[in-house]
Amino acid sequence: MTATPETTAETYSGRLLAFTIPARHARGRIVRLDETLDTILAAHDYPAPITHLLGEALVLAVLMGGLVKDDGSQVTMQAQTESGAVNLLVCDYKGGELRGYVDFDEAKLAELGANPSLFALFGKGYLAITFDIAGGQGRYQGIVPLEGDSLTEACERYFYQSEQVPTLIRCAVRSDGSGVQAAGLLVQHLPEGEEGRERLHAKLDHPEWEHVAIIAGSLRHEELLDSKLSLEAIAWRLFHEEEEIRIEHGSAIARGCRCSVAHYRDVLSRFPEEQRAEMRDDDGIVFVDCAFCSKQFGIEV
């Protein structure tokens, strides 16, 4: 097996790792979140089931966002419900900047116990995944029902139904006295084969993909969350028998809430004056709450 020179400095957390397996026409992404996840979660006093759910969602947002290489592109994941305890879950990822938020009904959640199922949390819900591609290349969205045991399964279904790309995703979340840690692996066939070859994503039972899926599926949650095991080591352990694996270090991950007085002033300026007048308090201030970072901004407009 050979690897690129970039593998000399190993990655343990807080940075996306990308890899490709040329002989299998496969690509992958691995990420482990710890400090960034703690920072995002600290903005709200979430109960354990919501902490676990948001941790998984944030990992998925990074894994999917890491598939888009264009600077300035953004991936947004939004889950909504009609009758569940969770009203809204939203995460987005843009060039290493990650944020997420969950709005939920505390009373309904308390009735569900310690380990509620995905259906109990969302009821009849759906997951929308949106890719906003930079440089005027467009915006596209796929919507899938929130079925199965996890958000991870719903994201796999998105790639199957909306992209027709064979995809395997593994996520793990753990909470202990030192904080919350979450990690994930995504592997998939390249969207197209080499020029002149068949379009690999047209065959979900392609033998190259079956081999990659079996190997990647053997990864245990304990390995994903093992802080002493580098992300490079995970890729090497899984695919060490391949003749070549190419490693590329992706973006460093940080909380990326983009709220600011200037941003909200710009947004409010787009409203008609009569609507802005209704928003102002007696001192002429409009107060705006940022759901992502739990801050309040007083805007004079």
Side-chain angles (χ1 to χ4, degrees):
M1 178 183 68
T2 61
T4 64
E6 294 171 290
T7 61
T8 54
E10 293 193 77
T11 308
Y12 290 86
S13 67
R15 181 179 292 274
L16 182 70
L17 186 82
F19 64 90
T20 57
I21 307 170
R24 301 288 181 181
H25 300 92
R27 64 180 176 183
R29 302 291 185 269
I30 313 176
V31 72
R32 186 181 291 137
L33 303 175
D34 40 34
E35 293 182 4
T36 299
L37 181 58
D38 286 339
T39 301
I40 294 172
L41 293 174
H44 300 273
D45 187 18
Y46 290 123
I50 300 301
T51 293
H52 188 283
L53 179 71
L54 184 55
E56 180 184 10
L58 291 166
V59 167
L60 291 167
V62 175
L63 292 174
M64 293 188 293
L67 297 173
V68 183
K69 293 188 176 182
D70 301 274
D71 292 338
S73 297
Q74 177 173 307
V75 173
T76 302
M77 182 170 67
Q78 181 171 311
Q80 289 184 280
T81 179
E82 294 181 7
S83 58
V86 175
N87 301 315
L88 172 68
L89 178 150
V90 60
C91 298
D92 64 50
Y93 175 84
K94 182 178 181 180
E97 295 185 348
L98 177 67
R99 62 180 183 172
Y101 166 72
V102 182
D103 176 56
F104 63 98
D105 187 310
E106 293 187 27
K108 285 185 178 181
L109 183 67
E111 297 173 355
L112 301 181
N115 297 297
S117 66
L118 189 70
F119 180 79
L121 287 171
F122 286 97
K124 185 180 179 182
Y126 67 87
L127 178 69
I129 299 174
T130 306
F131 288 81
D132 287 291
I133 309 303
Q137 298 182 59
R139 179 178 187 267
Y140 58 98
Q141 182 183 76
I143 299 175
V144 294
L146 276 169
E147 299 173 344
D149 294 329
S150 65
L151 286 174
T152 299
E153 286 189 27
C155 288
E156 287 183 335
R157 190 175 298 109
Y158 160 79
F159 282 106
Y160 174 78
Q161 294 183 1
S162 300
E163 303 282 340
Q164 290 81 52
V165 178
T167 303
L168 180 142
I169 308 175
R170 292 289 180 268
C171 282
V173 182
R174 178 174 61 203
S175 178
D176 54 33
S178 60
V180 182
Q181 189 180 42
L185 164 77
L186 179 151
V187 291
Q188 61 182 195
H189 248 309
L190 294 174
E192 294 183 354
E194 295 174 328
E195 186 175 353
R197 291 169 55 93
E198 62 182 306
R199 292 175 62 87
L200 295 177
H201 69 276
K203 294 183 62 176
L204 301 180
D205 60 348
H206 195 289
E208 288 179 353
W209 169 243
E210 289 180 345
H211 175 83
V212 170
I214 290 172
I215 297 298
S218 69
L219 181 65
R220 295 178 289 112
H221 283 191
E222 293 79 6
E223 292 175 290
L224 269 174
L225 295 170
D226 186 352
S227 60
K228 297 180 180 179
L229 185 64
S230 72
L231 305 185
E232 290 87 351
I234 291 176
W236 297 336
R237 280 188 179 189
L238 291 174
F239 300 107
H240 63 276
E241 294 185 355
E242 300 298 329
E243 62 183 34
E244 182 182 18
I245 178 171
R246 298 174 184 170
I247 300 292
E248 179 182 353
H249 292 158
S251 300
I253 311 299
R255 188 185 74 170
C257 193
R258 295 180 285 279
C259 59
S260 68
V261 170
H263 170 71
Y264 288 126
R265 182 175 288 118
D266 177 64
V267 172
L268 290 169
S269 68
R270 303 172 196 170
F271 285 84
E273 171 55 29
E274 57 269 25
Q275 292 187 25
R276 293 201 300 270
E278 294 175 359
M279 300 176 191
R280 296 186 184 107
D281 68 3
D282 293 339
D283 298 320
I285 304 298
V286 177
F287 286 96
V288 180
D289 295 316
C290 177
F292 288 101
C293 66
S294 197
K295 293 181 181 178
Q296 187 179 69
F297 296 82
I299 316 294
E300 189 173 351
V301 291

